[in-house]
Amino acid sequence: MTTEVSRGGSAYADAAPQLLDSLFYAVSHDLRSPLLTVSLSAQLLEHTLADVEVAGADEAIGGLKAACDDLERMLAAMNALSRASRRTAEPLEVGVAKLCPGAAPDATVTLDESTSEELRAAIPDGAVAAIEGGSALIRWPLADVGDIGPSPLTALAGSLHTYAGGPVEALACLEIALDRHGGAMEVVESHVILRLPLSGSPS
Amino acid sequence: MNRGAPIVVVDDDDAHRDLVAHLLGVVAPESSVLALGPEDGDALAELAPFGALVLLDRRLGSRDAREIIRPLRRARADVEVVVMSAFVTPEDRVICHAAGAHSTFQKPGDLNGWRSVLMSLFDDDQPALQAA
């Protein structure tokens, strides 16, 4: 009996990450259809009542549209996170200097093309790169998001409403993508610090 | 596709399908609109009016749109299929195009979005729409 229970528990533990990922995708994807129905209904009501004076109609329709915009923003964030965790593209060697000009010219890291492009877009002018042990460290100041703690992903998961659609969402997606390549992201004293294992280094 | 072409909406979300059918009557009043459910997927070749624009949901229940597009396009070269999805990925576009879809777009959440999509599809001078 104990063995049967243990086997079942182990199977669930093995399957749980995939199940959670599938659920995550389903939630972000399947919820959008009824959300669109509510949003479109509000728009049609607004269109239909355009020439009719109905007390409270503007407030009600405005409330529906604002709520739909909010839901749309949060669902888009969940979908972006789900897609970041599902990437399966072929990894390529990328020069660290291509991500952060001024970095050691010979240093390379291994990333898929999408992550590489997103990093190039995210890393601002003025970011600083260094080689430490077997990793490239890239660091830049993070402004205008307040205290989000060390992990953008944890911050986003803690308050989708606050952070969806903004810079923290983009960083959270990068945090997931970097983790898949053995890298890491941390926010320390209002600075983003990326750690990327150099190509050929043990992760 | 010509402005005024009949439109067929195929979606397994009943409320969304019926609302979109009504909305299409507002943004494309010159087109007739037929709303069908997933149970009609295999009968589209018989049901779609000549020269129709078929707006087909990416997934109808457990069925992938590809299973419906391929036989429909083989049977009805006059019909154009445009795939709609809550969220569109680059992979979706490649897959649906390979199956014979004209284009794939993300379902718009507002009237102007639907106007844009339809005007792009009906404007013969515009390139094929890839996303809303």
Side-chain angles (χ1 to χ4, degrees), chain B residues 8 10-12 36-45 54-76 79 81 83 96 99-101:
Chain B
V8 182
V10 191
D11 198 319
D12 58 347
L36 298 173
E39 66 279 4
D40 297 313
D42 292 327
L44 277 174
V54 175
L55 302 178
L56 178 65
D57 196 16
R58 178 74 177 87
R59 290 199 71 83
L60 293 175
S62 58
R63 293 186 76 187
D64 191 294
R66 285 178 284 180
E67 298 174 28
I68 294 168
I69 298 171
R70 287 195 187 105
L72 175 59
R73 291 283 293 153
R74 274 199 298 270
R76 296 283 306 273
V79 163
V81 179
V83 175
C96 294

Side-chain angles (χ1 to χ4, degrees), chain B residues 12-58:
Chain B
D12 58 347
D13 182 331
D14 294 347
H16 186 261
R17 178 193 63 231
D18 294 343
L19 184 66
V20 167
H22 178 80
L23 177 157
L24 289 171
V26 173
V27 302
E30 63 278 3
S31 293
S32 64
V33 181
L34 176 63
L36 298 173
E39 66 279 4
D40 297 313
D42 292 327
L44 277 174
E46 287 77 44
L47 296 172
F50 183 81
L53 167 64
V54 175
L55 302 178
L56 178 65
D57 196 16
R58 178 74 177 87

Side-chain angles (χ1 to χ4, degrees), chain B residues 85-110:
Chain B
S85 184
F87 285 112
V88 173
T89 65
E91 293 77 20
D92 286 328
R93 293 198 188 94
V94 169
I95 287 168
C96 294
H97 182 73
H102 174 276
S103 47
T104 303
F105 65 91
Q106 190 159 299
K107 293 177 180 177
D110 56 66

Side-chain angles (χ1 to χ4, degrees), chain A residues 46-71:
Chain A
E46 189 176 44
H47 176 84
T48 304
L49 296 178
D51 299 324
V52 179
E53 192 71 34
V54 178
D58 287 346
E59 289 79 3
I61 292 170
L64 279 169
K65 289 168 74 176
C68 287
D69 286 346
D70 236 0
L71 281 168

Side-chain angles (χ1 to χ4, degrees), chain A:
Chain A
M1 179 84 144
T2 305
T3 305
E4 293 293 327
V5 170
S6 296
R7 267 206 216 112
S10 174
Y12 174 75
D14 290 340
Q18 258 184 330
L19 285 171
L20 282 173
D21 188 55
S22 296
L23 181 60
F24 198 32
Y25 176 79
V27 165
S28 61
H29 191 274
D30 293 351
L31 284 181
R32 191 164 186 263
S33 200
L35 168 60
L36 290 174
T37 303
V38 175
S39 177
L40 290 171
S41 296
Q43 301 242 342
L44 272 175
L45 268 176
E46 189 176 44
H47 176 84
T48 304
L49 296 178
D51 299 324
V52 179
E53 192 71 34
V54 178
D58 287 346
E59 289 79 3
I61 292 170
L64 279 169
K65 289 168 74 176
C68 287
D69 286 346
D70 236 0
L71 281 168
E72 179 85 60
R73 178 176 61 90
M74 289 187 277
L75 279 178
M78 290 178 68
N79 187 256
L81 291 175
S82 173
R83 286 172 64 178
S85 70
R86 286 166 163 250
R87 272 184 212 160
T88 56
E90 197 65 32
L92 306 165
E93 275 201 19
V94 178
V96 178
K98 285 202 171 166
L99 301 174
C100 183
D106 299 332
T108 61
V109 293
T110 306
L111 299 168
D112 64 84
E113 193 175 343
S114 295
T115 302
S116 176
E117 284 171 7
E118 284 169 20
L119 273 176
R120 271 193 219 116
I123 297 172
D125 295 339
V128 174
I131 304 299
E132 187 176 291
S135 299
L137 294 184
I138 302 176
R139 173 189 172 104
W140 70 89
L142 181 62
D144 302 328
V145 297
D147 179 11
I148 64 169
S151 162
L153 180 59
T154 303
L156 182 66
S159 181
L160 204 59
H161 186 264
T162 302
Y163 297 117
V168 175
E169 175 193 319
L171 288 174
C173 290
L174 273 177
E175 189 178 340
I176 292 173
L178 289 176
D179 180 71
R180 290 166 62 83
H181 291 292
M185 175 191 292
E186 199 178 20
V187 175
V188 179
E189 294 177 352
S190 299
H191 281 74
V192 177
I193 302 173
L194 304 183
R195 180 181 294 273
L196 296 163
L198 296 174
S199 299
S201 300
S203 340

